[in-house]
Amino acid sequence: MPIDHSSKQYDLDLEQIRSKVLLMGGMVESQFLDAMQCFRSGDAARALQVIKTDEEVNRLEVSLDDSCSHLIVRRQPAANDLRNVMATLKLITDLERIGDEATKIARSATTIAERNVSTIQHYEMVRVIAERASDMLHDALDAFARMDATQATKLISQDRVVDHEFRSIMRTLITYMMEDPRTISAALDTLWVAKAIERIGDHAKNIAEYVVYVVDGKDIRHTDYPAASADSGN
């Protein structure tokens, strides 16, 4: 009976942590969407709110790190339970960094709005890559909520598409800057935003990899796991 009680308490503690992680995930997802709206409209007040939200995300990261550490000390999880907690710790870090990237986008939006000179269509330049990265983040959080390794595996391969789109944007912006020096400031701001979006895609892929790690017990970082899974018929 004491063992059963301890197991139930562990499950309860872990579920409380997971709920807060999903709350944090919802916050950074909204932060990213709001940052892109700021980049589109130049809304300085909204950009400031995105930056303030990042402070809440940072506080939540610290609180969750502390909760995970205490859970490990108190419950001493092993095997899959330990994998779950360790993956959650790493996921929290990725969520915090997504918040940082969203903040960078909001600050770039403010800079462009203050300059009040539109030499390129900065939002249209990154719209497609932003939509793809946003879908990746949403699907990664959904896969984590449901511990769906199949969905996680599918979205991992999308990171290559985001990387390809970033390189395409970079080449286009470099061409603009070479042909017309007046576009340099706006092009650089847009490039920083495109890079931030590309990094958000990277973090979404990381979250998906943690889901696979917890469900299947496989550390697939730095591997071609989606392609290998497809070849093996999984």
Side-chain angles (χ1 to χ4, degrees), residues 134-154:
S134 178
D135 288 343
M136 283 183 66
L137 176 57
H138 180 81
D139 289 347
L141 291 170
D142 184 59
F144 173 73
R146 296 186 294 109
M147 279 296 149
D148 187 339
T150 301
Q151 179 172 319
T153 301
K154 288 179 180 178

Side-chain angles (χ1 to χ4, degrees), residues 16-230:
Q16 289 176 341
I17 290 172
R18 282 175 52 82
S19 295
K20 288 185 179 179
V21 170
L22 290 171
L23 171 64
M24 185 179 182
M27 289 174 65
V28 299
E29 189 176 7
S30 296
Q31 210 183 346
F32 178 32
L33 293 174
D34 286 346
M36 289 309 305
Q37 284 300 317
C38 296
F39 191 64
R40 183 178 190 176
S41 65
D43 187 339
R46 196 169 188 175
L48 181 60
Q49 186 58 49
V50 171
I51 295 169
K52 289 182 67 175
T53 299
D54 195 50
E55 297 174 3
E56 297 177 36
V57 170
N58 291 342
R59 285 194 292 269
L60 195 51
E61 179 201 19
V62 172
S63 173
L64 281 166
D65 279 350
D66 186 63
S67 295
C68 287
S69 298
H70 278 80
L71 182 63
I72 292 172
V73 171
R74 290 198 312 269
R75 306 300 173 191
Q76 299 181 349
N80 185 60
D81 288 337
L82 182 59
R83 285 205 310 270
N84 203 334
V85 178
M86 296 306 295
T88 300
L89 276 166
K90 293 179 179 180
L91 188 150
I92 292 164
T93 299
D94 276 285
L95 289 178
E96 189 275 333
R97 289 175 180 171
I98 290 171
D100 288 344
E101 299 299 338
T103 299
K104 292 177 186 177
I105 295 170
R107 286 180 174 146
S108 292
T110 302
T111 300
I112 290 175
E114 289 174 348
R115 192 179 301 118
N116 198 28
V117 177
S118 181
T119 53
I120 61 174
Q121 292 182 319
H122 56 274
Y123 176 75
E124 285 302 316
M125 186 72 62
V126 301
R127 179 179 59 82
V128 174
I129 190 176
E131 290 173 354
R132 194 177 298 277
S134 178
D135 288 343
M136 283 183 66
L137 176 57
H138 180 81
D139 289 347
L141 291 170
D142 184 59
F144 173 73
R146 296 186 294 109
M147 279 296 149
D148 187 339
T150 301
Q151 179 172 319
T153 301
K154 288 179 180 178
L155 78 88
I156 288 171
S157 61
Q158 292 298 308
D159 187 55
R160 294 178 181 174
V161 181
V162 171
D163 290 345
H164 174 76
E165 289 174 348
F166 170 72
R167 289 191 294 269
S168 177
I169 291 169
M170 182 171 62
R171 287 193 295 268
T172 300
L173 290 172
I174 289 173
T175 300
Y176 282 165
M177 289 187 284
M178 291 176 64
E179 292 179 350
D180 186 355
R182 292 174 299 178
T183 67
I184 290 177
S185 294
L188 287 176
D189 284 327
T190 305
L191 183 59
W192 306 149
V193 168
K195 183 60 181 177
I197 295 169
E198 187 266 339
R199 290 294 297 141
I200 288 173
D202 288 341
H203 292 305
K205 181 191 73 168
N206 291 347
I207 292 170
E209 290 174 344
Y210 302 147
V211 172
V212 174
Y213 176 62
V214 173
V215 175
D216 295 339
K218 298 175 182 177
D219 187 348
I220 62 171
R221 293 174 298 173
H222 315 301
T223 68
D224 198 13
Y225 182 73
S229 296

